[in-house]
Amino acid sequence: MALQELTYRDALRKALADAMTENPDVVILGEEVGRYGGAYGVTKDLIKEFGAERVIDTPISEPAIVGAAVGAAMTGLRPVAELMYVDFIGMTMDQLANQAAKIRYMFGGQIGVPMVLRTQGGTGRSAGAQHSQSLEAYVMHTPGLRLAMPATVADAYHLLRMALTKPDPVVFIEHKALYTMKETVDLDAEPLAWGKAAVRREGRDLVIVTYSRQLHYCLEAARQLSARGVEATVIDIRTLNPLDFDTIRAHVERTGRAMVVSEGVMTAGVAAELSARITEECFDFLEDPVVRVAGEDIPISVSTALEAGSVPGPQLIADTALRMLAGRVPA
Amino acid sequence: MYEADLRATAGRTMAGRVGAGANTRLPELYRTMRRIRTFEERVGELFVRGQSAGSMLHLSIGEESAAAGVCAHLRDGDSFTTHHRGHGIFLARGADPARMMAEIGGKEAGYCHGKGGSMHIADMGLGHLGANAIVGGGIPAVVGAGLSARHHKTGAVSVAFFGDGATGQGILYESMNMAALWGLPCVFVCINNQYGMGTNIAQATANPNLHERAAAFGLAAETVDGLDVEAVAEAAERLVEGARAGKPAFLAVSCYRFYGHARKDKSPYRDPVEEEAGRRQDPVAFARAALIDRGLESESELDRLDGEIGAEMDATIDFTVAQTEPPLASMFRDVYAPEEPEPEPVRARIDRVLARD
Ligand SMILES: Cc1ncc(C[n+]2csc(CCOP(=O)(O)OP(=O)(O)O)c2C)c(N)n1
Ligand SMILES: [Mg+2]
């Protein structure tokens, strides 16, 4: 219906505003979410629209922010807690992993914790070792937590709206380098369901499985590859839990080659999990080992050169694909 | 709350200190503060020239007295940690401003070879156990340093510098409780510049008398007006020496953050009238006027000193701009100890996986 140009940031803000309008129990709490409008501007002016009782500025007390959201969710609110940087998730890990993630199970299914924890991660701002990490593996490694990581403007909106209808805690990780990305979207169009991977590009030669900002690097690499005669399928998994493995499997079986791309460090990361699963479940169809293209196993430096060098980019993705297909493409 | 602070100091003069000139440390304290102020101004310049690594640069302009006053009572062997607004503290402990600036520029010649940046400068040689970008993250280390000092009988103290925002973190209270329980040589210095990003202290706590919390844990605890560096230094002397003797302490220094939280923040959430009044609480200007009033220095002597410092700090920018970025391969260095193997680069791992004969 209505096409509009939105940034990723605007889409997130609109999702929050629409959810708050629809459901009076939705409240936001976090550092600088109110008067300041959010460190990255996502909650700008929501306090004016919905008041300070629903857009709650907190002291700098991450464990209590998450813990308060847990209690609020158990008692009839629909909290959206915000962690300014995913790097602070370690401070909150007890509330997240021991409380939010386990309450339904430990208490024999009596109650769930329908909360959303919004945060952002990734490189791109010379923010240094403690403000640039990709820590989604911590979340994915914790049964009981759902995990969404939008890569597009439409998904920023829809996945956040859907997260706010889920019965269990959802960790929602945005990418700091995507906030200003613009797309023309029709938010009234039927969105792809929660838990479904999006096939962003189809090609016969290999499958590249990715999410968050790396989607854009993979699509860029796919364009370069296409110019060299290699056609890649690019799958954006959107939600890491629940994971749509059926879509991944179908395309891996069709093409026989898979690469997994993630900004998080390579060892024991999301790419490791996906790669293991593809290897286990699609073994008979694979022509090559599944290759991981992921962040280096190091902290992120403040130096812009080292920062950029620490994570995958289009060049590494394209080079790797070409080598996988070596002999099959004209040099 | 802050208004009341302002009223309390507005009518004050330096008269009470006239005549106390002979063995005052004010000239040295002034010099330290001026060096901090000028350095921070140059950090701002580095950013404007596009030569800084990122924009997350937090200037300590307006809070120089905390760094100068407390560090005046630290000695070789003492240690400290700082928050993200720590340039001034490190300078007051003897840092080389050129290497600091190079670090802020993300250059190889910086204190941490361009890996840390403004928020992670450190120099173990000067007892700097590290600046921290996690609010409260550096506080508990001083408890450990206090245990070390006690164990090795060094007589050293360890000082945690942090902002008012960190008083929201539970780890501060855990740390103060341990220090008091064990009688450790630790000092907790809260630089209360009234704001944590856009949040005024009155919007972050129902009781802004921060020292009362420390007192409740059994620490020696005071609040001092950061306008007057001599008052800060006097309080610090009492508390640091008390801590050396086994009575841990807390000192809140009241001041005002003159500019935005980081370089891109223009503080739209602050009332301009408040801001103007806040910037009049200038510890550097206050100390300068006191030096002249008390006949300790003439205006022209101070002008000359300020000029020298200006030139010293200008040179840090030239130095930084001329330096190179760290070599790409250095990113694998120092994840582990130098004698240990470095992490294998992703490219090398991919090469092995795809090696074909
Ligand atoms: C654990 C954690 N939470 C939040 C932040 C984001 N943040 C950085 S500085 C800051 C405000 C800190 O205020 P304060 O401690 O008073 O120090 P100031 O900036 O005023 O020097 C916030 C919220 C952070 N870096 N670490
Ligand atoms: Mg502060």
Side-chain angles (χ1 to χ4, degrees):
Chain A
M1 242 176 62
L3 282 178
Q4 52 182 329
E5 192 177 64
L6 282 183
T7 62
Y8 185 85
R9 179 194 346 252
D10 294 338
L12 292 162
R13 185 188 178 282
K14 185 167 163 46
L16 291 169
D18 289 354
M20 291 181 89
T21 303
E22 257 171 45
N23 180 352
D25 290 331
V26 174
V27 299
I28 296 175
L29 71 166
E31 294 155 18
E32 308 294 338
V33 296
R35 282 173 298 261
Y36 194 93
Y40 283 89
V42 171
T43 54
K44 190 169 177 356
D45 291 337
L46 289 180
I47 193 169
K48 288 188 190 145
E49 226 170 306
F50 300 100
E53 288 200 2
R54 292 183 68 196
V55 184
I56 304 167
D57 280 318
T58 68
I60 306 172
S61 308
E62 285 80 5
I65 294 168
V66 175
V70 170
M74 292 173 75
T75 52
L77 290 179
R78 248 287 170 198
V80 184
E82 181 178 315
L83 269 188
M84 205 181 279
Y85 287 78
V86 76
D87 309 70
F88 314 153
I89 203 168
M91 302 176 76
T92 74
M93 215 58 193
D94 173 64
Q95 291 303 316
L96 201 57
N98 286 324
Q99 315 305 331
K102 295 181 174 59
I103 279 171
R104 182 188 295 282
Y105 190 84
M106 289 190 300
F107 301 148
Q110 291 180 64
I111 196 166
V113 183
M115 62 175 277
V116 173
L117 179 61
R118 270 191 55 241
T119 186
Q120 57 80 27
T123 54
R125 287 205 60 217
S126 270
Q130 297 174 338
H131 280 63
S132 306
Q133 298 172 88
S134 297
L135 299 179
E136 54 273 19
Y138 291 13
V139 178
M140 200 183 188
H141 192 65
T142 305
L145 299 178
R146 299 298 191 187
L147 174 58
M149 297 186 69
T152 66
V153 171
D155 270 354
Y157 180 82
H158 291 299
L159 289 177
L160 186 50
R161 286 303 303 271
M162 291 187 264
L164 273 161
T165 65
K166 296 296 151 197
D168 294 308
V170 178
V171 179
F172 189 92
I173 308 179
E174 299 151 18
H175 197 294
K176 63 170 70 61
L178 294 182
Y179 284 123
T180 54
M181 177 183 66
K182 267 191 190 151
E183 277 171 21
T184 302
V185 289
D186 174 6
L187 294 181
D188 297 325
E190 185 64 31
L192 195 58
W194 175 263
K196 282 301 248 182
V199 180
R200 303 288 184 194
R201 183 185 196 285
E202 282 208 56
R204 62 176 185 264
D205 295 318
L206 85 159
V207 179
I208 305 177
V209 183
T210 191
Y211 57 96
S212 192
R213 179 183 48 173
Q214 289 292 331
L215 168 66
H216 303 284
Y217 289 169
C218 291
L219 290 172
E220 167 59 31
R223 281 188 288 274
Q224 293 178 20
L225 288 168
S226 185
R228 308 279 301 268
V230 171
E231 297 300 336
T233 292
V234 178
I235 298 180
D236 169 10
I237 53 181
R238 304 167 72 236
T239 57
L240 286 71
N241 181 344
L243 178 69
D244 176 10
F245 195 74
D246 290 343
T247 297
I248 297 173
R249 182 192 297 106
H251 287 272
V252 173
E253 288 182 359
R254 186 172 54 76
T255 63
R257 285 191 180 78
M259 181 197 302
V260 185
V261 181
S262 160
E263 186 168 327
V265 301
M266 188 183 239
T267 297
V270 170
E273 168 61 23
L274 293 171
S275 157
R277 219 164 145 184
I278 296 169
T279 304
E280 285 170 347
E281 297 196 24
C282 309
F283 190 74
D284 290 341
F285 296 86
L286 289 172
E287 311 260 354
D288 275 312
V290 181
V291 180
R292 283 177 288 163
V293 177
E296 301 287 354
D297 285 330
I298 61 175
I300 304 294
S301 290
V302 79
S303 141
T304 39
L306 300 194
E307 180 188 32
S310 303
V311 299
Q315 197 56 50
L316 179 60
I317 298 165
D319 287 351
T320 304
L322 284 175
R323 295 191 46 199
M324 288 174 81
L325 286 144
R328 255 158 289 261
V329 276
Chain B
M1 202 285 303
Y2 182 66
E3 289 299 309
D5 274 4
L6 279 188
R7 274 194 300 278
T9 52
R12 224 175 50 204
T13 68
M14 291 63 98
R17 296 189 193 281
V18 170
N23 51 12
T24 176
R25 301 181 73 162
L26 189 57
E28 191 49 36
L29 292 169
Y30 172 78
R31 182 170 175 276
T32 303
M33 292 200 296
R34 173 60 71 191
R35 287 182 77 237
I36 296 171
R37 172 73 52 97
T38 307
F39 179 82
E40 297 288 42
E41 287 166 355
R42 297 301 182 273
V43 172
E45 230 175 282
L46 193 75
F47 168 72
V48 171
R49 288 175 56 173
Q51 294 282 337
S52 63
S55 66
M56 295 177 85
L57 308 170
H58 308 88
L59 307 186
S60 63
I61 293 177
E63 45 196 74
E64 295 89 346
S65 63
V70 175
C71 291
H73 298 288
L74 299 185
R75 50 192 200 217
D76 284 357
D78 289 345
S79 61
F80 63 103
T81 61
T82 82
H83 57 338
H84 54 282
R85 203 178 298 282
H87 302 160
I89 299 158
F90 190 23
L91 268 179
R93 273 308 284 144
D96 170 359
R99 286 181 67 198
M100 285 183 69
M101 196 64 87
E103 187 60 35
I104 293 164
K107 299 295 177 69
E108 168 73 7
Y111 266 105
C112 308
H113 308 299
K115 284 185 168 143
S118 163
M119 297 197 290
H120 303 294
I121 296 186
D123 180 15
M124 302 306 139
L126 291 174
H128 192 349
L129 302 181
N132 218 296
I134 299 297
V135 171
I139 295 173
V142 306
V143 175
L147 286 171
S148 275
R150 187 174 75 178
H151 187 81
H152 293 122
K153 301 191 172 38
T154 59
V157 295
S158 192
V159 183
F161 291 91
F162 51 90
D164 47 291
T167 65
Q169 298 287 22
I171 203 157
L172 169 63
Y173 305 99
E174 299 174 21
S175 301
M176 290 199 299
N177 184 49
M178 286 183 184
L181 180 65
W182 298 328
L184 297 178
C186 302
V187 183
F188 301 86
V189 176
C190 177
I191 303 177
N192 181 0
N193 62 11
Q194 315 300 319
Y195 282 86
M197 284 186 73
T199 302
N200 186 276
I201 178 80
Q203 296 158 338
T205 177
N207 178 3
N209 299 318
L210 302 174
H211 61 272
E212 290 177 7
R213 306 180 191 183
F217 284 101
L219 286 87
E222 297 186 31
T223 292
V224 66
D225 180 359
L227 177 64
D228 181 353
V229 69
E230 289 178 291
V232 177
E234 280 163 23
E237 181 165 26
R238 273 193 299 282
L239 297 175
V240 169
E241 291 322 314
R244 262 188 228 290
K247 175 78 177 171
F250 172 94
L251 178 63
V253 180
S254 305
C255 49
Y256 192 79
R257 192 190 76 204
F258 279 22
Y259 301 105
H261 169 69
R263 285 298 64 210
K264 284 185 171 163
D265 174 30
K266 304 262 183 294
S267 312
Y269 43 83
R270 299 206 295 204
D271 174 0
V273 177
E274 177 207 285
E275 220 168 50
E276 216 188 292
R279 289 186 192 150
R280 278 199 299 271
Q281 300 290 102
D282 183 338
V284 181
F286 189 83
R288 198 177 205 275
L291 285 170
I292 295 167
D293 272 18
R294 279 146 63 179
L296 293 168
E297 307 268 5
S298 70
E299 190 144 12
S300 61
E301 282 167 335
L302 290 172
D303 287 346
R304 192 182 44 75
L305 174 67
D306 292 357
E308 277 169 23
I309 292 172
E312 179 198 6
M313 299 307 172
D314 282 343
T316 68
I317 296 196
D318 300 337
F319 174 77
T320 298
V321 171
Q323 295 305 309
T324 53
E325 293 256 8
L328 207 55
S330 75
M331 73 177 154
F332 299 102
R333 192 188 305 150
D334 295 326
V335 182
Y336 303 102
E339 65 274 20
E340 300 285 330
E342 290 181 353
E344 189 179 18
V346 164
R347 271 179 197 273
R349 292 166 75 170
I350 294 172
D351 281 350
R352 217 175 34 250
V353 173
L354 294 180
R356 287 196 169 84
D357 36 6

